[in-house]
């Protein structure tokens, strides 16, 4: 009989990361089914360590995952610290390393050199390719919120986390009589639905585009809007939605772009009009100045601005999948195959398969 997995929930080193991949309530569900869970202390996580202890989890110091038993699955969300240089564990997090992103080669080398495995949450999918656990709704929601508040000149800086009721209240308070025009690309997906809901809460009925509307893009309509919220994450290069030439077009009215996907350093970037993401201190960057200015918002951890709601929703989708670790479940096998494809050689792939124990 397969032993339940040992999960090691690590502290997130990014100072603006407040979310948790597994919340205390769902950790308790796993513990009741025999899963062993160790949770690292974290001064910034939205859920206090005492809540995890009451759920039956063990406690560990921040960063102690490097000494965790080799059988443990190290669970996180965002990037790993730069050390150690070799990674021997099975890590579960959003690696952003399979499309040639900056630093991806270095990260994958750390795994292959240490014999570890990356089970990237972006590739935890069902048979149809749909993600089984995602923050997309809240990313889209907050991307649209920031775009509206900036457009209305009431965006407080630096950004700080709030609950949804607080964000919605700020939207209602900022609503104005003149109607802004907004386009959401990818409106039928998780992120797109979140963006549309936020825009409606802010008094805007957005134009909603999805696959059919982007086969042949209505560029005049896009440039004629006030706000663009892009929520489309593509896996193969496609013609861009906006180019630098579009920003210089005399007919452009567009003034705020919120790129929820932040796929800036990939060949799959559909908005090649900027080259670096923005952050909580400076979430808005001008792309063109003057009377016809246009600004970009490209914060790559948007859901952390709403950490409790985003974590609860994500954890609810993830915990049943965590229970299937090590059972040969198809979703984790797909994660492993994505890693194997990324690291390349068959010799390394065989080693990775042996270490992963998810065949």
């Amino acid at each position: 009989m397969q032993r339940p997995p040992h999960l090691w929930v690590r502290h997130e080193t990014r100072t603006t990361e407040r979310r948790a991949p597994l919340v205390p309530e769902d950790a308790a569900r796993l513990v009741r089914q025999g899963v062993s869970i160790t949770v690292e202390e974290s001064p910034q996580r939205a859920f206090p360590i005492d809540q995890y202890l009451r759920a039956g989890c063990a406690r560990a110091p921040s960063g102690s995952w490097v000494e965790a038993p080799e059988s443990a699955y190290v669970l996180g969300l965002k990037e790993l610290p730069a050390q150690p240089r070799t990674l021997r564990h099975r890590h579960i997090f959003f690696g952003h390393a399979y499309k040639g992103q900056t630093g991806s080669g270095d990260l994958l080398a750390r795994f292959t050199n240490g014999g570890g495995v990356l089970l990237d949450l972006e590739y935890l999918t069902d048979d149809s390719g749909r993600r089984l656990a995602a923050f997309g709704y809240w990313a889209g929601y907050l991307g649209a919120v920031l775009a509206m508040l900036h457009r209305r000149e009431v965006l407080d800086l630096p950004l700080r986390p709030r609950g949804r009721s607080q964000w919605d209240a700020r939207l209602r308070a900022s609503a104005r009589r003149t109607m802004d025009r907004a386009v959401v690309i990818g409106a039928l997906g998780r992120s797109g639905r979140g963006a549309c809901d936020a825009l409606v809460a802010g008094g805007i009925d957005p134009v909603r585009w999805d696959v059919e509307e982007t086969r042949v893009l209505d560029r005049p309509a896009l440039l004629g809007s006030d706000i663009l919220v892009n929520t489309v994450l593509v896996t193969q290069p496609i013609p861009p939605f906006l180019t630098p030439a579009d920003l210089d077009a005399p007919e452009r009215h567009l003034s705020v772009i919120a790129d929820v996907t932040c796929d800036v350093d990939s060949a799959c970037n559909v908005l090649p009009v900027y080259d670096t993401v923005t952050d909580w201190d400076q979430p808005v960057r001008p792309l063109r100045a003057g009377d016809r200015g246009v600004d970009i918002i490209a914060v790559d951890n948007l859901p952390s601005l709403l950490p409790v709601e985003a974590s609860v929703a994500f954890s609810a989708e993830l915990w049943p999948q965590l229970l299937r670790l090590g059972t040969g479940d198809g979703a984790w096998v797909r994660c492993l195959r994505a890693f194997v494809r990324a690291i390349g050689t068959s010799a390394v792939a065989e080693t990775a398969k042996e270490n992963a124990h998810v065949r």
Side-chain angles (χ1 to χ4, degrees):
M1 177 182 255
Q2 176 70 40
R3 290 185 60 187
H6 178 190
L7 302 176
W8 194 285
V9 182
R10 62 176 170 86
H11 159 70
E12 297 288 336
T13 55
R14 186 186 291 208
T15 57
T16 59
E17 189 51 72
R18 308 289 194 266
R19 293 171 293 172
L22 184 67
V23 303
E25 182 179 358
D26 295 330
R29 291 188 171 97
L30 290 171
V31 168
R32 287 195 293 269
Q33 299 195 55
V35 177
S36 174
I37 304 177
T38 301
V39 180
E40 292 187 358
E41 298 165 337
S42 175
Q44 63 203 42
R45 190 185 294 126
F47 304 88
I49 191 68
D50 288 349
Q51 293 183 11
Y52 288 99
L53 299 182
R54 289 194 292 271
C57 302
R59 180 180 198 152
S62 298
S64 57
W65 60 266
V66 296
E67 302 299 333
E70 196 156 330
S71 60
Y73 292 86
V74 180
L75 176 61
L77 288 174
K78 299 299 285 186
E79 63 271 8
L80 291 169
Q83 297 296 330
R85 293 304 303 159
T86 57
L87 299 169
R88 63 187 177 89
H89 292 94
R90 294 164 293 185
H91 283 260
I92 302 171
F93 70 107
F94 290 100
H96 304 301
Y98 296 168
K99 294 189 291 183
Q101 297 98 322
T102 301
S104 59
D106 178 70
L107 176 63
L108 294 176
R110 291 170 68 188
F111 278 105
T112 56
N113 291 338
V117 170
L118 169 59
L119 299 173
D120 195 317
L121 287 165
E122 185 177 338
Y123 296 85
L124 183 67
T125 63
D126 62 17
D127 291 338
S128 68
R130 184 179 183 274
R131 290 190 193 177
L132 293 170
F135 285 101
Y137 178 89
W138 298 109
Y141 168 86
L142 284 157
V145 166
L146 299 188
M148 281 184 284
L149 295 180
H150 173 61
R151 166 86 178 161
R152 295 165 182 177
E153 301 182 337
V154 291
L155 182 61
D156 293 335
L157 302 180
L159 300 176
R160 64 180 181 85
R162 292 181 168 91
R164 180 171 188 171
S165 61
Q166 294 173 298
W167 286 115
D168 282 347
R170 293 182 66 77
L171 287 179
R172 289 192 296 270
S174 71
R176 53 193 189 184
R177 294 179 183 177
T178 55
M179 181 67 72
D180 291 322
R181 295 165 294 179
V183 173
V184 176
I185 303 182
L188 299 183
R190 284 188 179 101
S191 294
R193 292 197 303 272
C196 290
D197 286 352
L199 288 161
V200 170
I204 299 175
D205 184 16
V207 174
R208 304 167 194 241
W209 289 354
D210 209 80
V211 175
E212 289 304 316
E213 292 81 5
T214 54
R215 293 188 194 282
V216 180
L217 199 70
D218 187 346
R219 202 164 298 276
L222 182 59
L223 296 179
S225 65
D226 299 295
I227 295 171
L228 164 64
V229 184
N230 173 54
T231 69
V232 176
L233 183 65
V234 300
T235 57
Q236 298 292 331
I238 64 172
F241 298 151
L242 279 178
T243 67
D246 292 322
L247 301 187
D248 296 324
E251 66 272 21
R252 175 183 59 78
H253 189 79
L254 180 68
S255 65
V256 181
I257 303 166
D259 188 10
V260 174
T261 62
C262 296
D263 209 10
V264 63
D265 55 358
S266 163
C268 299
N269 182 17
V270 295
L271 293 177
V273 294
Y274 72 107
D275 56 10
T276 55
V277 296
T278 60
D279 56 35
W280 288 25
D281 290 328
Q282 295 182 312
V284 182
R285 181 182 300 124
L287 298 176
R288 296 291 185 276
D291 295 338
R292 298 186 63 248
V294 56
D295 298 327
I296 183 74
I297 298 171
V299 178
D300 67 355
N301 67 333
L302 284 168
S304 198
L305 290 166
L306 203 151
V308 173
E309 290 96 328
S311 296
V312 167
F314 182 83
S315 178
E317 294 178 338
L318 182 62
W319 80 262
Q321 307 304 323
L322 295 173
L323 193 60
R324 300 184 181 100
L325 278 166
T327 65
D329 178 77
W332 292 111
V333 169
R334 282 185 285 275
C335 272
L336 177 61
R337 287 173 179 164
F339 173 70
V340 168
R341 286 194 298 270
I343 60 176
T345 68
S346 59
V348 174
E350 288 305 315
T351 301
K353 288 181 183 180
E354 190 63 31
N355 288 338
H357 297 207
V358 294
R359 291 175 296 175

